[in-house]
C-alpha cells in the first residue's frame, strides 16, 4: 500500500538538460496551465484489475475532445508500469496514477498522495510500483512531480476474466471525476486515502 505524504515534492516547470545533460528545473508562471500526466495501469485479464486502463481510455476520449485540456494533459493506458515511464514523469508537473486496489472496500474510490520510495515492492501483475518510478525520477532528474494515486476497490480478481464486476463498474465515473478534479486543482490537495 502506498504511503501517504502530506508534503509537496513538486517543482514547477519541466526539466531542461544543460550542456552536461543534467536536468535543470525552471519555474513556471502562475498563470500557465498545469501539465499533467495520467497513467491508468492494470491487467486486462484479471477482472477488476483492468479498472486503471479502462478509466484511462474513457478519460482520454474526454480529454481529446477538449483542445485546451488535450494541450496540457497526456493520458496513457498501460498493462504494467515500466522504467521507460520515468522520462515522462520527469517532464510532468503533476502525475496521476489510476489503479484498482485490493485494500479498499469494493467500489470505494480513494485519492492518495505518493512520494518516492526505492524499496516499494510491485503488487499483483505490475512490474514496477509508482513510488519506485518516482524514486528513479528523483535520482535521475533531481525532481519529483506532484503525484497522486486514484484507486478503487475491486471485487473480482480472477485470471482470464475480461470484464469488470458490477461493483467496479460503478467506480468508473467517480474515478474519472476524481482525476479531472486533480488535473484542475491547485497544489496542496487533501489526501483521502486509507
Amino acid at each position: 500500500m502506498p504511503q501517504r505524504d502530506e508534503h509537496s515534492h513538486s517543482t514547477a516547470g519541466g526539466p531542461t538538460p544543460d550542456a552536461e545533460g543534467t536536468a535543470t528545473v525552471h519555474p513556471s508562471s502562475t498563470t500557465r496551465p498545469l501539465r499533467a500526466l495520467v497513467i491508468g495501469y492494470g491487467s486486462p485479464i484479471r477482472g477488476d484489475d483492468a479498472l486503471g486502463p479502462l478509466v484511462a481510455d474513457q478519460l482520454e476520449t474526454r480529454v481529446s475532445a477538449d483542445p485546451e485540456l488535450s494541450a496540457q494533459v497526456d493520458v496513457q493506458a498501460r498493462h504494467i508500469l515500466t522504467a521507460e515511464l520515468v522520462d515522462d514523469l520527469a517532464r510532468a508537473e503533476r502525475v496521476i496514477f489510476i489503479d484498482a486496489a485490493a485494500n479498499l472496500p469494493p467500489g470505494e474510490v480513494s485519492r492518495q498522495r505518493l512520494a518516492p520510495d526505492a524499496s516499494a515492492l510491485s503488487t499483483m501483475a505490475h512490474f514496477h510500483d509508482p513510488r519506485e518510478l518516482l524514486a528513479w525520477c528523483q535520482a535521475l532528474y533531481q525532481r519529483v512531480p506532484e503525484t497522486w494515486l486514484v484507486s478503487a476497490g475491486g471485487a473480482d480478481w480472477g485470471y482470464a476474466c475480461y470484464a469488470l464486476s458490477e461493483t467496479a463498474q460503478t467506480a468508473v465515473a467517480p474515478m474519472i471525476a476524481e482525476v479531472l478534479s486533480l488535473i484542475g486543482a491547485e497544489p496542496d490537495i487533501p489526501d483521502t486515502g486509507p
Side-chain angles (χ1 to χ4, degrees):
M1 177 174 80
Q3 296 176 2
R4 288 185 237 172
D5 180 13
E6 300 298 330
H7 303 288
S8 174
H9 293 275
S10 66
T11 303
T16 304
D18 61 17
E20 287 127 24
T22 305
T24 304
V25 178
H26 299 284
S28 66
S29 153
T30 56
T31 60
R32 193 180 89 187
L34 185 65
R35 164 92 169 86
L37 170 64
V38 179
I39 303 170
Y41 65 103
S43 174
I45 62 167
R46 295 276 320 258
D48 293 347
D49 195 42
L51 259 173
L54 289 174
V55 169
D57 286 342
Q58 290 188 29
L59 188 63
E60 172 60 24
T61 301
R62 291 182 69 168
V63 167
S64 62
D66 181 336
E68 186 176 326
L69 197 56
S70 64
Q72 296 299 320
V73 180
D74 179 26
V75 181
Q76 301 181 21
R78 297 288 186 124
H79 174 72
I80 58 174
L81 299 177
T82 58
E84 290 78 15
L85 287 169
V86 174
D87 184 58
D88 292 342
L89 297 179
R91 288 183 282 127
E93 293 176 41
R94 179 174 288 164
V95 176
I96 304 162
F97 288 97
I98 310 169
D99 192 21
N103 64 335
L104 288 173
E108 182 177 313
V109 176
S110 169
R111 172 183 71 224
Q112 189 172 3
R113 188 74 171 263
L114 297 181
D117 184 351
S119 66
L121 299 175
S122 300
T123 58
M124 300 183 74
H126 312 314
F127 186 71
H128 290 294
D129 183 285
R131 296 165 298 158
E132 181 182 8
L133 295 179
L134 291 175
W136 290 2
C137 186
Q138 187 174 50
L140 294 170
Y141 294 92
Q142 294 77 53
R143 74 176 303 270
V144 178
E146 179 185 308
T147 306
W148 294 88
L149 171 65
V150 172
S151 54
D156 184 0
W157 308 96
Y159 281 105
C161 179
Y162 298 92
L164 294 179
S165 67
E166 286 185 26
T167 304
Q169 289 177 26
T170 65
V172 171
M175 290 179 84
I176 290 172
E178 190 68 55
V179 172
L180 289 171
S181 172
L182 284 169
I183 287 171
E186 295 298 319
D188 299 323
I189 311 152
D191 190 326
T192 65

